[in-house]
Amino acid sequence: MDRKSIEKRLNDQKDLLSNLVKKAKTNGIDQVEIYSSYGYSEDVSLEKNDLNNCTATEENMFGIRVLHEGNQGFIISNHIPSLYQSIEEAYSLAKSQSTPDLDLVLPEPESIQNHFNQYDDSLDSMGIEDLVASAKEALGWRNDLYSKVNIDSGDFSLSKGYKLIVSSKGVMAHELGAELSASVMGMGVDGDLVGSFDYDSASGFDKTQFQTLWKKAFMNFGDKCMGALYAKPISGFQGKVLLPPDAVYSFFLGLFIGSLNGTSLRKGKSKMAGKLGEKVASPLLSIWDDPTNDRFMGSTGFDREGLPTSKKSVLTEGVLETYFYNTYEAKKAGFTKSNGCATGGAQSLPGCGPKQLQIAPGTSAKDEFFKLPGKTLFVNRISGTKDGASGDFSGVIKGGYLLENGEKIPVREVQIVGNAFEALGQIEAISKEGELLGESSFVPYMLLDGFTITGVTEE
Amino acid sequence: MRNLLKECLAEESGFVELRYHHKESRSFFAERGRVESTALRKRTGVGVRVLESGTWGFASTSEISKSSIQNAIQVAKKAARLSSALRKDKIPNLPKANFAIGDFIGKGIEDFRNRTVEEKLKLVLDIQNAAAKQSAKLQSVGCGYSEIYEEKAIVTTDGADSFFSMVRPEFRVSAVAKEDGKMESGSHSIGVTGGWDCLFRSLSPTEISDEACKTAVDLLSSSLPDGGLSTVILSPSIVGLLVHEAIGHTVEADFVLSGSVAQGKIGHRVGSDLVTLCDSGYSEYYEGAGGSIPVDDEGVIPTNTVIIKNGILSSYLHNRETAERFGVAPTGSARAWEYGDVPLIRMRNTFLMPGDSSLEEMIANTKDGYYLDGAKNGQADATGEFMFAVQKAYRIKNGKITDLLKGVTVSGLAFDVLQNVDMVSKEFKWDLGSGHCGKGQPAKVDAGGPYVRTKVLLGGK
């Protein structure tokens, strides 16, 4: 599958979907939206320090949304010959409902300013043989440098495809994409001693970018697994935690960002309701959403409803500046149109959220965080639970360290309990350095104070 | 469908496995007085797996025709040949298996087909409307009903030849309560393999809703428990999470081969005498367990696998490849979520066998501890260290349940926790049939058991 054949498929499908929408309108179905997601991928998987499987998959999923007098029906299908029947089924689902809301409408089309070309033609000369070669190289790194690290699973993927949205209101947008990606998961094993799982991943637009990032990610994975191998229990304490970029993004900030979702706000489930313009976090923290930067993986010119995306400030020095809306939630909040923050794909109804969060770097050198006096818990990863409404989170620290008097002691059986909204005010310092997570979101290290850390040993 | 698949295999000589899979998922959700979403998801295709030159190759197609399936077989073969040179540890021949032959039609399918969309919409709307009126503290109540209907046909060149179908409905209510700027949430959900009657056999929709709303409101006046190693009585839903997360994942033979903590422990004591743990494709004690399967995704009839017998580790969970490596019979544990997924070793219904005590006796015999109820989520590690999150923790003092506390994360080392089991109840319940287990791809599972007393690390203040 190469660019030419994907483009041909896309062009044929634009015609097909436009005709289906026209046919639906002729038959009295006025508001139809079809979101198409086509993907072709070749994959090589690893298991137990060995190659496991080679696969080739191709699929086109369609998300069909029909609105009828304020009611909505949604069908997801991968069967092209019966797409018109699916439109009728979605219409029937919408008609079967008795709780209309006239704010539920498809958006009017808007001009899209940013057109992305994230399909590097050089990937067309690659195939499963290159993925096998990458897998062989990674197994070599494991054998030569990390013989005590067991690769439980891994995956190398070359994927290509497009997304396309067509609606009866005149929305028509598409983007092609292609990427190389890899991930690895495993743990350190030394005799009877087994360390915590860890993982890492990388992706790139082309072979050179991918190879550089993947090697770095694999070495990072190996170091983390080895670091967790000789972990020991510690006693509990009250104090500081140091979060690397992954932990900042996946656990602590995720709850806060979720509370800015238009749906949570409307339903009274968000503690950030009514706080626009207010200081809700440490003045050290500034965040923006930028899906328009073509250097980032996943940047896009349009959202799940086919409306243009834009760069927007979320938090400036701790002051809340925006919420995230799709068309429906924007109308419920009193706006005439959305702010281009509809999320999701063919297999989901439009949600609300950011696309590519960026966190402003701070002024501290991250290495200084590792030399602090007293005890600091370095939280590599939290295996735990979080509650969106209350902001409470708790979990077991995985691959973490106790930093004490310049020592770095790997720990196990340690739990942390906190609240994400309170934690926004507990930020003591943010590092200058950070990482581009998923090659799309810049996230620095953060030092926070005032946490309860539970251990199993006595002081 | 079996005939079409067999036709596609007619000229094949090596090992080829064809898996047709059609899946329809319906979901209905109401919140704040209206139906928020109705969705129907349909996905159909054939997954093709070949074993050639000691290596697997896989391809899939969404086009159900002889030419398309045969083309996918060639793609899978090419993929296998390309990778063969790199694979060190070649896959031996697959062992003979107890293949399912024939058609296996699940219970409850007619029931779900005969109920209209309007009936399902009315259910979620009525329950949601009634629940929202229960307390002025309730900010929002959401009610959802969903069902997955699926049919599969599995045919292999070495003898598997079956068609099966099943339906898995779920019902869930989630509530958020607010008072003085504090917010808490509660949820309750159920899920089964079977029809509507099976779904609501133990609890009515109203009772499920009451439970979720009460939890959210009650938690407004709760605080965190004291953190530390504690004696706990676990409800069946929590026991389900414990045995699934803490033990089940570590005994999946692919994890064992990667070096999980269960490696080399067959025949060793890993729990107290009171612990007998099984993973089964059937639904012991009462029908409808959410992870039941008539046939696994390699075409094998699933077994009831005794993983731990009276505290001694006795079996891992196997697919055909690992069964050959360990020299045992496949346990029927190979499962794939979609036609485009390769089957992985997955749990089905995981349960601890009941004991002799009653819950009443267990509480009365606990001087200082906690009763944990309401499963949320959980994860396990290769080390045997696990975590699971609970909704509610009740303090037990001098044999009596006292204050409600916020449920937090509970953790421990799997085999230590099993060694510390000192009381197991007579009562038994499947209680983890809603939601999914994740391991690269989702899987419907269930888990449960009796009430169990043991020691775990409780996160807290």
Side-chain angles (χ1 to χ4, degrees):
Chain A
M1 192 63 66
D2 58 13
R3 183 186 189 116
K4 206 173 160 190
S5 55
I6 292 174
E7 279 178 339
K8 179 175 185 319
R9 186 187 173 99
L10 171 66
N11 288 328
D12 289 349
Q13 201 162 93
K14 275 194 226 169
D15 294 340
L16 169 73
L17 300 190
S18 299
N19 287 334
L20 289 175
V21 167
K22 270 185 210 153
K23 183 176 170 185
K25 284 184 91 165
T26 306
N27 291 334
I29 306 173
D30 288 333
Q31 293 196 65
V32 189
E33 174 195 86
I34 308 177
Y35 191 103
S36 165
S37 169
Y38 169 76
Y40 171 79
S41 79
E42 292 180 342
D43 297 81
V44 170
S45 66
L46 300 179
E47 194 176 271
K48 306 182 288 283
N49 303 323
D50 203 351
L51 188 137
N52 181 44
N53 204 346
C54 288
T55 68
T57 53
E58 180 183 13
E59 188 168 60
N60 203 157
M61 294 299 290
F62 299 87
I64 299 170
R65 194 157 66 116
V66 172
L67 304 184
H68 174 71
E69 296 174 356
N71 290 307
Q72 179 171 256
F74 185 55
I75 306 279
I76 305 148
S77 173
N78 68 342
H79 193 233
I80 293 175
S82 63
L83 281 183
Y84 190 74
Q85 280 165 262
S86 292
I87 292 174
E88 287 180 325
E89 276 184 278
Y91 184 49
S92 170
L93 270 180
K95 284 199 299 181
S96 65
Q97 294 164 45
S98 57
T99 54
D101 182 342
L102 295 178
D103 283 330
L104 188 55
V105 291
L106 293 178
E108 299 294 333
E110 287 180 48
S111 162
I112 293 165
Q113 305 302 321
N114 298 296
H115 296 277
F116 290 92
N117 175 13
Q118 297 198 324
Y119 193 118
D120 192 295
D121 291 346
S122 68
L123 294 189
D124 282 344
S125 62
M126 296 186 67
I128 212 155
E129 298 90 339
D130 300 276
L131 300 176
V132 169
S134 289
K136 188 176 178 181
E137 186 180 34
L139 289 171
W141 294 335
R142 181 261 164 196
N143 293 338
D144 297 343
L145 304 170
Y146 297 104
S147 60
K148 287 182 182 168
V149 172
N150 274 5
I151 295 176
D152 175 72
S153 60
D155 189 63
F156 298 81
S157 180
L158 169 62
S159 53
K160 303 167 180 181
Y162 61 78
K163 57 181 183 179
L164 162 68
I165 183 167
V166 176
S167 90
S168 54
K169 292 270 189 177
V171 167
M172 166 75 87
H174 66 84
E175 267 170 15
L176 254 62
E179 68 170 39
L180 276 164
S181 62
S183 65
V184 64
M185 185 173 104
M187 64 277 187
V189 178
D190 188 1
D192 284 344
L193 209 57
V194 183
S196 280
F197 274 128
D198 225 308
Y199 55 84
D200 220 314
S201 62
S203 50
F205 293 123
D206 59 46
K207 192 172 177 178
T208 309
Q209 184 194 23
F210 166 72
Q211 283 178 325
T212 308
L213 295 170
W214 167 236
K215 187 168 186 181
K216 188 179 160 204
F218 189 90
M219 301 304 160
N220 194 34
F221 156 76
D223 291 345
K224 286 189 288 185
C225 288
M226 288 308 296
L229 186 54
Y230 304 105
K232 58 183 188 184
I234 58 165
S235 55
F237 65 97
Q238 298 275 327
K240 290 183 180 18
V241 296
L242 174 57
L243 303 178
D246 264 332
V248 166
Y249 196 78
S250 66
F251 217 86
F252 154 65
L253 268 183
L255 277 169
F256 166 62
I257 296 300
S259 73
L260 307 180
N261 169 330
T263 307
S264 297
L265 291 158
R266 172 174 60 85
K267 292 179 178 176
K269 295 177 180 177
S270 169
K271 283 199 164 184
M272 289 296 118
K275 301 237 165 144
L276 272 190
E278 288 185 23
K279 191 170 273 293
V280 298
S282 158
L284 298 173
L285 189 59
S286 293
I287 302 173
W288 62 94
D289 181 31
D290 187 8
T292 66
N293 187 329
D294 64 5
R295 289 180 297 116
F296 296 158
M297 300 289 296
S299 284
T300 179
F302 62 91
D303 72 358
R304 168 62 179 83
E305 294 181 308
L307 298 184
T309 56
S310 61
K311 182 178 177 181
K312 55 181 70 64
S313 180
V314 178
L315 203 61
T316 303
E317 296 179 354
V319 176
L320 185 61
E321 298 203 310
T322 197
Y323 296 131
F324 305 114
Y325 295 115
N326 58 25
T327 297
Y328 176 66
E329 296 299 351
K331 283 188 180 286
K332 298 311 290 177
F335 300 104
T336 52
K337 59 179 192 172
S338 87
N339 55 355
C341 291
T343 56
Q347 301 196 50
S348 61
L349 284 163
C352 307
K355 299 263 186 256
Q356 312 246 56
L357 282 183
Q358 311 298 321
I359 300 176
T363 53
S364 306
K366 82 167 178 168
D367 289 347
E368 294 303 313
F369 294 154
F370 290 87
K371 300 173 193 162
L372 290 165
K375 289 180 176 180
T376 301
L377 184 70
F378 176 84
V379 178
N380 173 54
R381 176 165 64 89
I382 302 177
S383 167
T385 189
K386 47 192 176 182
D387 183 80
S390 65
D392 291 337
F393 63 85
S394 63
V396 181
I397 305 305
K398 294 291 181 185
Y401 297 92
L402 179 67
L403 304 170
E404 191 173 22
N405 304 322
E407 263 197 282
K408 203 173 160 189
I409 306 155
V411 299
R412 63 178 167 89
E413 294 177 84
V414 176
Q415 287 201 25
I416 183 172
V417 172
N419 182 282
F421 301 112
E422 289 168 19
L424 290 171
Q426 291 172 276
I427 298 168
E428 233 182 47
I430 297 177
S431 69
K432 289 183 280 197
E433 308 88 342
E435 286 171 21
L436 207 52
L437 298 180
E439 318 318 326
S440 68
S441 291
F442 179 83
V443 184
Y445 287 69
M446 285 190 195
L447 182 71
L448 291 90
D449 199 5
F451 281 83
T452 301
I453 289 132
T454 305
V456 286
T457 61
E458 297 295 325
E459 189 76 86
Chain B
M1 187 51 63
R2 285 162 59 196
N3 288 337
L4 172 64
L5 298 187
K6 281 191 277 191
E7 221 180 292
C8 295
L9 291 185
E11 289 161 25
E12 297 296 332
S13 53
F15 176 80
V16 181
E17 175 186 275
L18 301 181
R19 175 168 41 88
Y20 161 82
H21 190 179
H22 169 71
K23 190 185 231 177
E24 291 178 21
S25 313
R26 287 173 171 76
S27 62
F28 307 91
F29 181 74
E31 195 165 10
R32 293 178 85 84
R34 66 180 294 270
V35 171
E36 285 261 328
S37 64
T38 61
L40 166 59
R41 181 176 190 271
K42 295 186 288 187
R43 200 173 193 182
T44 308
V46 174
V48 176
R49 200 165 62 143
V50 304
L51 181 58
E52 188 158 308
S53 311
T55 313
W56 292 115
F58 182 86
S60 62
T61 174
S62 60
E63 197 182 314
I64 313 298
S65 67
K66 187 176 173 185
S67 62
S68 183
I69 295 167
Q70 286 183 324
N71 180 53
I73 293 172
Q74 296 314 313
V75 173
K77 283 185 170 183
K78 185 184 165 201
R81 283 194 296 271
L82 280 170
S83 59
S84 178
L86 175 58
R87 184 160 183 139
K88 278 186 314 210
D89 195 6
K90 296 282 191 283
I91 299 167
N93 287 329
L94 298 174
K96 282 195 168 33
N98 188 14
F99 288 125
I101 311 288
D103 292 343
F104 302 81
I105 308 301
K107 287 185 181 168
I109 293 169
E110 283 310 305
D111 178 34
F112 109 89
R113 280 199 175 130
N114 290 338
R115 291 180 191 271
T116 62
V117 165
E118 285 77 8
E119 188 176 3
K120 292 163 188 172
L121 286 169
K122 186 173 182 318
L123 170 75
V124 292
L125 202 52
D126 287 355
I127 292 296
Q128 188 279 147
N129 280 330
K133 290 173 191 152
Q134 278 196 2
S135 166
K137 293 175 184 171
L138 287 170
Q139 280 287 105
S140 182
V141 180
C143 179
Y145 168 81
S146 61
E147 63 199 13
I148 300 174
Y149 165 75
E150 52 192 331
E151 52 187 43
K152 296 184 182 185
I154 296 161
V155 172
T156 65
T157 44
D158 65 350
D161 179 9
S162 61
F163 171 89
F164 61 97
S165 57
M166 63 186 118
V167 61
R168 291 192 165 116
E170 288 182 18
F171 182 78
R172 63 185 70 241
V173 177
S174 57
V176 173
K178 185 178 181 183
E179 190 175 39
D180 300 331
K182 190 176 178 184
M183 277 190 187
E184 293 292 348
S185 56
S187 64
H188 201 70
S189 58
I190 54 170
V192 299
T193 305
W196 188 289
D197 294 341
C198 181
L199 182 66
F200 297 120
R201 186 176 45 192
S202 302
L203 283 177
S204 71
T206 304
E207 287 169 319
I208 292 161
S209 166
D210 289 351
E211 175 68 29
C213 296
K214 187 173 183 311
T215 299
V217 172
D218 288 354
L219 284 175
L220 286 170
S221 49
S222 68
S223 59
L224 285 168
D226 292 325
L229 195 61
S230 312
T231 297
V232 292
I233 295 174
L234 309 174
S235 69
S237 67
I238 303 292
V239 168
L241 255 187
L242 171 77
V243 294
H244 178 97
E245 295 299 344
I247 314 297
H249 282 298
T250 67
V251 297
E252 290 163 342
D254 51 345
F255 276 173
V256 174
L257 288 167
S258 293
S260 91
V261 73
Q263 192 176 63
K265 296 247 178 12
I266 293 281
H268 290 227
R269 176 162 290 283
V270 294
S272 81
D273 283 343
L274 298 175
V275 173
T276 294
L277 175 69
C278 304
D279 184 86
S280 176
Y282 309 107
S283 183
E284 284 76 4
Y285 300 101
Y286 62 88
E287 272 189 28
S292 305
I293 49 170
V295 183
D296 87 349
D297 286 323
E298 291 182 331
V300 177
I301 296 179
T303 61
N304 176 347
T305 313
V306 181
I307 296 167
I308 298 172
K309 189 167 186 187
N310 299 326
I312 309 295
L313 190 68
S314 54
S315 179
Y316 301 132
L317 299 174
H318 292 286
N319 58 16
R320 296 184 69 193
E321 180 188 337
T322 64
E324 178 72 13
R325 291 187 188 281
F326 282 86
V328 296
T331 56
S333 305
R335 301 179 65 190
W337 180 240
E338 301 281 8
Y339 75 88
D341 290 326
V342 176
L344 303 175
I345 299 175
R346 307 303 298 266
M347 282 172 266
R348 300 148 306 179
N349 303 310
T350 316
F351 64 102
L352 212 62
M353 299 223 352
D356 298 327
S357 306
S358 70
L359 173 62
E360 210 172 279
E361 286 165 3
M362 291 167 71
I363 294 168
N365 272 295
T366 305
K367 267 194 170 180
D368 181 12
Y370 296 89
Y371 169 65
L372 306 180
D373 193 18
K376 283 172 91 173
N377 63 322
Q379 289 154 32
D381 206 323
T383 57
E385 188 177 12
F386 64 89
M387 66 70 49
F388 54 76
V390 301
Q391 281 204 60
K392 296 179 286 188
Y394 293 92
R395 191 86 172 94
I396 303 175
K397 282 184 187 164
N398 297 318
K400 288 198 166 49
I401 286 186
T402 60
D403 309 327
L404 169 66
L405 301 158
K406 274 189 191 190
V408 288
T409 306
V410 169
S411 67
L413 294 173
F415 296 150
D416 288 358
V417 173
L418 292 191
Q419 296 275 15
N420 284 323
V421 170
D422 64 355
M423 291 187 95
V424 177
S425 80
K426 295 178 271 202
E427 298 94 337
F428 180 98
K429 196 178 175 191
W430 293 115
D431 210 2
L432 215 65
S434 61
H436 303 91
C437 163
K439 180 184 168 184
Q441 49 182 273
K444 285 297 298 181
V445 297
D446 210 337
Y451 294 88
V452 164
R453 191 171 76 170
T454 185
K455 283 193 170 71
V456 294
L457 181 66
L458 205 66
K461 60 190 174 196

